[in-house]
Amino acid sequence: MDVPYLFYKEPSGVKVEFEGTYSFSDNNQATVELYDHPEFSELKYIIWDFTGVSRMEMTPVETDIASMMDKEASSRLPHTKVALITQDPFTRQLCQSYIADCGNRKLEWDFLVADTLEQARKWIDV
């Protein structure tokens, strides 16, 4: 894998699968690719899959910065479902911190932290 993630365009959304070590830099790289996608403003859902991550190197301060970046992007993509998939307790805690930061910024996305891709897809209703 040349980048620490794989980006999949799906009929109504995107799925991003991460592998190995996950850092703020990796998050930013994938986020920029997502924002630059030609169909970004038409996405109904985003799946951020951390199940392949073996080491999480992101901090709560960095999740706050990520929520700030997403707040700006959300004006182009309101009312989107965002599923974050992890079974790791530390990563789940960071996901919850990110969601709380997004809520504080009044981001109009719906969030779910799921254990599996199947749970996320059921919630997204795809």
Side-chain angles (χ1 to χ4, degrees):
M1 181 185 279
D2 294 322
V3 293
Y5 62 88
L6 295 173
F7 192 93
Y8 300 96
K9 172 64 179 96
E10 299 183 351
S12 299
V14 296
K15 178 176 69 165
V16 186
E17 294 179 356
F18 295 92
E19 186 174 286
T21 301
Y22 182 86
S23 68
F24 185 59
S25 174
D26 300 329
N27 179 77
N28 290 346
Q29 184 178 353
T31 299
V32 167
E33 185 172 340
L34 175 66
Y35 294 164
D36 287 346
H37 194 281
E39 298 173 27
F40 176 73
S41 62
E42 299 168 15
L43 298 176
K44 304 289 185 227
Y45 66 87
I46 300 165
I47 299 171
W48 223 244
D49 186 347
F50 297 108
T51 56
V53 171
S54 57
R55 182 180 169 125
M56 177 59 74
E57 291 185 349
M58 202 158 166
T59 67
V61 170
E62 291 168 332
T63 64
D64 186 49
I65 295 167
S67 74
M68 190 180 333
M69 293 168 44
D70 288 343
K71 173 61 177 173
E72 290 188 30
S74 70
S75 64
R76 293 177 32 216
L77 187 65
H79 311 295
T80 299
K81 289 188 171 187
V82 178
L84 307 167
I85 305 171
T86 184
Q87 295 174 353
D88 176 69
F90 179 72
T91 303
R92 180 175 289 277
Q93 183 179 8
L94 283 176
C95 290
Q96 295 294 355
S97 176
Y98 163 76
I99 292 168
D101 294 335
C102 288
N104 291 338
R105 288 189 163 73
K106 310 277 189 255
L107 204 110
E108 295 183 9
W109 290 351
D110 294 322
F111 293 96
L112 172 73
V113 180
D115 290 329
T116 65
L117 180 59
E118 293 75 26
Q119 288 174 340
R121 289 209 185 278
K122 184 176 181 180
W123 175 73
I124 290 168
D125 196 28
V126 171

